C-alpha cells in the first residue's frame, strides 16, 4: 500500500502545482484540477484509511457550504472555494480548523510578498499599477502542505 500512497501523493502534487501555476498566470483554478484532487482524495480515503472516509466527505460538504457563503460575500473566489473543499477530503474534520488557520497564515505571507513586490515596482516606476489581487491558490496549497508534509516526502519505489 505504500506504493499506492506514493503514487496518489505524487499525482496530488502534480495537480496542486497545476492549480498554483494556473492561478498565478491566469487567475483561474480549473474545475478539472479541483475535481481530480477531490476524486484522488476519495480514493486515498477509501483505500488507505480505516472507514473514516465518510467523515472526510461530510467535512468537505461543510467546507463547501461555508465557502459558498464567503463567495457570495466576495471574500474568496469560486476556484479558491472549490480547491479548499477538494483538499478537505484529504483531511479529517477535526483537522479542518487547523487547515483554515494554516491557509490564513500562508495567505498573510503571500499577501505581504505581493505588497512588497508592488512597493518595489512603485519605487522604480511611479505609474506602475499596484497588485490588483492575490492569487490565493498558493496560500491554499501552502496551508495544506503545512498540515500534510508527508505528501512532499513520499516517493515511488
Amino acid at each position: 500500500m505504500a506504493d499506492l500512497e506514493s503514487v496518489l501523493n505524487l499525482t496530488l502534487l502534480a495537480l496542486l502545482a497545476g492549480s498554483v501555476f494556473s492561478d498565478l498566470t491566469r487567475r483561474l483554478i480549473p474545475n478539472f484540477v479541483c475535481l481530480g484532487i477531490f476524486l484522488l482524495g476519495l480514493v486515498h480515503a477509501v483505500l488507505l484509511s480505516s472507514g473514516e472516509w465518510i467523515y472526510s466527505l461530510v467535512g468537505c460538504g461543510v467546507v463547501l457550504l461555508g465557502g459558498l457563503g464567503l463567495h457570495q460575500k466576495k471574500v474568496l473566489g469560486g476556484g479558491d472555494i472549490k480547491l479548499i473543499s477538494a483538499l478537505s477530503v484529504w483531511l479529517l474534520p477535526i483537522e479542518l480548523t487547523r487547515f483554515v488557520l494554516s491557509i490564513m497564515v500562508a495567505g498573510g505571507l503571500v499577501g505581504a510578498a505581493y505588497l512588497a513586490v508592488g512597493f518595489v515596482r512603485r519605487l522604480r516606476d511611479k505609474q506602475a499599477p499596484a497588485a490588483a489581487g492575490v492569487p490565493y491558490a498558493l496560500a491554499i496549497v501552502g496551508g495544506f502542505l503545512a498540515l500534510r508534509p508527508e505528501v512532499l516526502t513520499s516517493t515511488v519505489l
Side-chain angles (χ1 to χ4, degrees):
M1 283 297 194
D3 290 337
L4 175 62
E5 187 168 10
S6 295
V7 169
L8 291 174
N9 285 341
L10 287 172
T11 307
L12 174 63
L13 278 177
L15 289 168
L16 293 176
S19 70
V20 169
F21 180 77
S22 179
D23 201 22
L24 287 172
T25 58
R26 302 182 313 154
R27 299 291 170 102
L28 176 76
I29 302 172
N31 289 337
F32 76 89
V33 171
C34 295
L35 181 62
I37 291 169
F38 173 79
L39 293 174
L40 209 61
L42 277 181
V43 169
H44 182 267
V46 168
L47 295 180
L48 299 175
S49 69
S50 57
E52 298 167 346
W53 64 271
I54 192 71
Y55 301 115
S56 296
L57 199 56
V58 169
C60 173
V62 169
V63 168
L64 184 61
L65 287 175
L68 289 174
L70 291 173
H71 179 64
Q72 250 186 336
K73 301 251 186 234
K74 308 270 189 238
V75 174
L76 284 175
D80 300 329
I81 298 303
K82 288 182 285 188
L83 182 59
I84 292 168
S85 298
L87 284 171
S88 67
V89 172
W90 288 79
L91 304 169
L92 292 173
I94 197 163
E95 297 174 297
L96 293 179
T97 303
R98 287 188 307 213
F99 182 40
V100 170
L101 291 174
S102 64
I103 290 171
M104 291 169 65
V105 169
L109 295 172
V110 170
Y114 262 74
L115 282 174
V117 168
F119 180 73
V120 170
R121 187 180 301 145
R122 290 284 205 160
L123 287 176
R124 291 184 177 174
D125 179 11
K126 298 287 184 206
Q127 303 301 321
V134 176
Y136 218 67
L138 184 59
I140 296 165
V141 170
F144 176 77
L145 292 176
L147 284 180
R148 291 291 165 97
E150 68 273 8
V151 171
L152 290 171
T153 58
S154 67
T155 58
V156 177
L157 300 177

